[in-house]
Amino acid sequence: MTELKNDRFLNALLKQPVDRTPIWMMRQAGRYLPEYRASRKDAGSFMDLCKNEQFACDVTLQPLERYPLDAAILFSDILTIPDAMGLGLYFETGEGPKFKKVIRTAEEVQSLSVVNTKSDLNYVLKAVSTIRHELNGRVPLIGFSGSPWTLATYMVEGGSSKDFRHVKGMMYAQPEVMHQLLDVLADSVIDYLNAQIDAGAQAVQIFDTWGGVLSHNAYQTFSLKYMQKIVNGLNRERNGVKIPVILFTKGAGQWLESMAETGCDALGLDWTTDIGQARARVGKQVALQGNMDPSVLYASPERIREEVQTILTSYGKGTGHVFNLGHGIHQFVDPEHAKAFIEAVVELSPAFHLAD
């Protein structure tokens, strides 16, 4: 196996000393980059981009050619598992992901079976192995999946939602059906992430995009419970090297302690939680990833630099911080502003690691 030339991302996730705060961006390979838009046009569609391992590899590496990032993330979609279950994922311009088939009855839930990644999602594994080969140890590769609750919201709603009436209706009116759906999804995510790890992913992140729409009790019961099951089921080591696990729930600042109790290695934070306060609450248990508001990237490079300094100062000295946006980068951001953001972290963060 090729030796890793830049391991500060993995070291920070494991709270080991680093020379500076590592950085990557959620959705770093995406529509804000003109080269990505060109690749998507060449591929023909978003799903064609995902399902061709060379295209997926090319767009994964594009941001690394522009910026001094410390990790690559597999180019794919969080909804590959429902698509493999036969729901028919497609994308309409400006409307986000949609499914041709929805899951809203007990019978429809019972018809679902756990995904076999090696047969049903082999294109993802081909992309992982291709990217690892092309990276040649340059930076670590992150694999990922949507959380069971987040996958369920899309499957039951049929796409994005503002009120989540169908999925919350099922959750409250037929909790046993919802638990059956979440169990199948959790088992599928375990298989999916373990297969990504076998194919070469060196860290994995679970994206719980919609956990923050739940009440306190519902979050514990219908979201966190199933992420806990996944954490317990993952292969946390490969070839003698630890595979860190990151949990990210958007809007979950109030639940950091219970998230940290899952045994994950790191928590992703959105921009609504102060990272210094989060460190005081859970920083002895887990590393923290985040957490600049993506909208700051619409500001001037000087203002972006100020915000980077503020977040670094809030976290304070020492390891255990992976700098990131609090959610995915917006498609209308100027790539030069993303550059200013990343370079600010590279330039300003070494001062916070002198004692490591």
Side-chain angles (χ1 to χ4, degrees):
M1 190 63 70
T2 305
E3 184 178 351
L4 193 56
K5 302 176 182 72
N6 175 352
D7 60 359
R8 63 171 65 90
F9 167 71
L10 298 178
N11 287 341
L13 288 179
L14 299 175
K15 304 192 76 174
Q16 296 169 356
V18 290
D19 58 337
R20 65 165 175 83
T21 305
I23 179 169
W24 68 281
M25 294 187 296
M26 287 187 277
R27 216 179 288 143
Q28 65 189 25
R31 291 177 290 177
Y32 74 106
L33 291 176
E35 55 267 41
Y36 168 85
R37 297 194 296 271
S39 294
R40 178 165 172 169
K41 184 177 180 181
D42 290 343
S45 73
F46 177 81
M47 289 307 294
D48 288 333
L49 197 63
C50 291
K51 292 185 175 183
N52 180 302
E53 64 265 27
Q54 195 55 57
F55 272 126
C57 178
D58 291 345
V59 296
T60 297
L61 300 182
Q62 283 170 355
L64 299 177
E65 299 304 317
R66 277 184 176 260
Y67 311 125
L69 294 159
D70 296 299
I73 182 165
L74 163 70
F75 182 80
S76 188
D77 192 81
I78 65 168
L79 299 178
T80 49
I81 286 175
D83 185 50
M85 289 177 167
L87 271 63
L89 176 64
Y90 68 100
F91 291 81
E92 289 190 352
T93 305
E95 294 189 29
K98 291 189 175 184
F99 286 113
K100 294 175 183 175
K101 177 184 175 184
V102 295
I103 301 296
R104 291 183 184 167
T105 68
E107 292 74 24
E108 287 166 343
V109 170
Q110 288 163 8
S111 73
L112 299 173
S113 56
V114 175
V115 163
N116 181 321
T117 303
K118 289 181 180 176
S119 59
D120 301 333
L121 287 165
N122 193 47
Y123 68 88
V124 176
L125 305 183
K126 286 182 177 179
V128 171
S129 59
T130 301
I131 296 163
R132 267 300 299 273
H133 180 266
E134 291 296 321
L135 280 171
N136 194 32
R138 182 175 176 181
V139 294
L141 175 61
I142 307 166
F144 73 92
S145 173
S147 73
W149 168 254
T150 289
L151 298 180
T153 64
Y154 285 102
M155 294 169 70
V156 177
E157 297 293 335
S160 300
S161 177
K162 291 183 179 178
D163 59 7
F164 301 93
R165 65 189 179 99
H166 296 294
V167 71
K168 284 192 173 186
M170 179 188 287
M171 179 184 77
Y172 285 119
Q174 302 178 83
E176 69 288 348
V177 175
M178 178 56 71
H179 282 302
Q180 184 177 358
L181 173 57
L182 293 169
D183 255 324
V184 171
L185 288 169
D187 288 340
S188 296
V189 171
I190 291 169
D191 186 84
Y192 187 47
L193 291 179
N194 280 336
Q196 289 184 39
I197 291 166
D198 287 344
Q202 292 152 288
V204 293
Q205 175 158 318
I206 301 168
F207 285 86
D208 186 32
T209 310
W210 297 120
V213 305
L214 293 169
S215 70
H216 175 75
N217 289 336
Y219 177 75
Q220 307 291 328
T221 303
F222 294 97
S223 182
L224 190 61
K225 172 184 174 181
Y226 292 95
M227 290 196 286
Q228 174 75 75
K229 180 178 181 179
I230 293 165
V231 171
N232 291 347
L234 290 180
N235 298 328
R236 305 290 289 276
E237 188 175 299
R238 179 164 171 76
N239 297 325
V241 179
K242 188 164 183 185
I243 308 293
V245 178
I246 308 164
L247 296 188
F248 173 68
T249 297
K250 187 169 179 282
Q254 66 271 43
W255 300 313
L256 298 183
E257 288 85 356
S258 53
M259 292 176 72
E261 291 291 337
T262 62
C264 66
D265 298 288
L267 299 180
L269 305 176
D270 68 19
W271 61 92
T272 62
T273 298
D274 180 84
I275 198 166
Q277 294 176 10
R279 186 183 190 186
R281 288 164 58 190
V282 298
K284 290 183 177 155
Q285 289 177 273
V286 289
L288 296 173
Q289 179 178 277
N291 65 332
M292 195 172 85
D293 184 344
S295 295
V296 174
L297 296 181
Y298 292 126
S300 68
E302 293 76 21
R303 179 66 187 88
I304 293 168
R305 190 178 179 88
E306 288 175 10
E307 193 68 15
V308 167
Q309 182 69 59
T310 296
I311 293 169
L312 288 170
T313 302
S314 178
Y315 184 85
K317 292 190 174 183
T319 193
H321 180 201
V322 172
F323 216 114
N324 206 320
L325 301 174
H327 203 238
I329 186 170
H330 298 163
Q331 65 169 310
F332 300 111
V333 164
D334 184 338
E336 288 300 306
H337 287 210
K339 180 181 179 182
F341 164 51
I342 295 160
E343 289 183 347
V345 175
V346 171
E347 293 168 15
L348 297 172
S349 66
F352 293 86
H353 298 276
L354 296 176
D356 276 12

